[in-house]
């Protein structure tokens, strides 16, 4: 998939000089999903493949239903996840009924399949120097991934130099989720460095 401007490109015509064609990906049709006012930054396809959620610098998530859209290719739902903060990462859970969204704030959100906000993650104390002793990110989040097999477990990354694991059924404070595990990111000189993205292997046994 490619993104840019106010469209999210779900597929690309085989006759165009595109990464899909150069890599030999068998794509024969294309459609431009309309609606975003600024650059599209991320997308997540529901495991069954019938819906896709897109995030943008316009601070909104748009949800598209391939089976229900008409020739205008518009979203059926638009959600401002975290007012004033760009959406930087989206990930569906294995069942497809939950989406985690990482934004330019320190507090990711969990959405239901219709875009309703179900849960916020707690913001950590910025005056605690050791990230291990904070309950959440203290700076903007940059990535979010749902565990591929465990529907209660998610991972996030942040500019505070940490990867964090969260159990959505875990402990909360003032109805906001507290992280389960903190992993500090280090550069070659063993100094703290921002985590700009995160990913889990297909089995969930390795993380990047």
């Amino acid at each position: 998939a490619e993104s840019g401007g106010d469209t999210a490109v779900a597929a690309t015509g085989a006759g165009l000089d595109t990464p899909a064609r150069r890599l030999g990906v068998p794509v024969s049709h294309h459609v431009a999903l309309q609606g975003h006012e600024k650059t599209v930054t991320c997308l997540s396809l529901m495991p069954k493949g019938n819906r896709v959620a897109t995030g943008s610098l316009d601070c909104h998530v748009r949800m598209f239903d391939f089976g229900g859209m008409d020739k205008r290719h518009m979203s059926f739902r638009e959600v401002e996840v975290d007012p004033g903060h760009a959406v930087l990462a989206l990930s569906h859970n294995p069942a497809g009924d939950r989406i985690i969204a990482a934004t330019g704030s320190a507090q990711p959100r969990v959405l239901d399949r219709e875009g309703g906000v179900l849960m916020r993650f707690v913001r950590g104390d910025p005056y605690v120097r050791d990230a291990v002793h904070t309950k959440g990110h203290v700076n903007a989040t940059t990535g979010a991934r749902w565990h591929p097999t465990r529907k209660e477990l998610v991972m996030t990354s942040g500019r505070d130099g940490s990867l964090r694991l969260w159990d959505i059924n875990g402990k909360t404070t003032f109805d906001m989720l507290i992280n389960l595990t903190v992993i500090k990111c280090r550069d070659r000189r063993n100094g703290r460095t921002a985590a700009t993205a995160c990913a889990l292997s297909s089995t969930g046994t390795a993380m990047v």
Side-chain angles (χ1 to χ4, degrees), residues 90-160:
L90 294 169
S91 178
H92 279 86
N93 72 348
D97 60 353
R98 298 287 186 272
I99 305 171
I100 184 170
T103 71
S105 79
Q107 295 177 274
R109 266 71 165 166
V110 174
L111 315 177
D112 63 24
R113 69 192 306 270
E114 303 300 325
V117 177
L118 298 176
M119 180 181 297
R120 284 193 306 160
F121 294 9
V122 71
R123 181 187 179 95
D125 186 344
Y127 297 104
V128 176
R129 297 191 64 180
D130 191 343
V132 171
H133 299 300
T134 56
K135 297 179 180 180
H137 288 289
V138 300
N139 208 327
T141 52
T142 57
R145 288 292 181 270
W146 218 287
H147 194 281
T149 60
R150 295 177 58 183
K151 64 180 182 180
E152 79 284 357
L153 197 62
V154 296
M155 180 175 68
T156 59
S157 58
R159 295 192 181 279
D160 59 5

Side-chain angles (χ1 to χ4, degrees), residues 157-176:
S157 58
R159 295 192 181 279
D160 59 5
S162 69
L163 299 176
R164 296 174 189 261
L165 296 177
W166 311 74
D167 182 341
I168 64 169
N169 299 318
K171 295 180 179 180
T172 61
T173 178
F174 298 102
D175 294 326
M176 293 183 288

Side-chain angles (χ1 to χ4, degrees), residues 2-32:
E2 297 181 356
S3 63
D6 59 354
T7 62
V9 182
T12 310
L16 302 177
D17 183 18
T18 66
R21 185 181 184 187
R22 291 195 297 270
L23 294 172
V25 178
V27 176
S28 60
H29 297 79
H30 76 276
V31 59

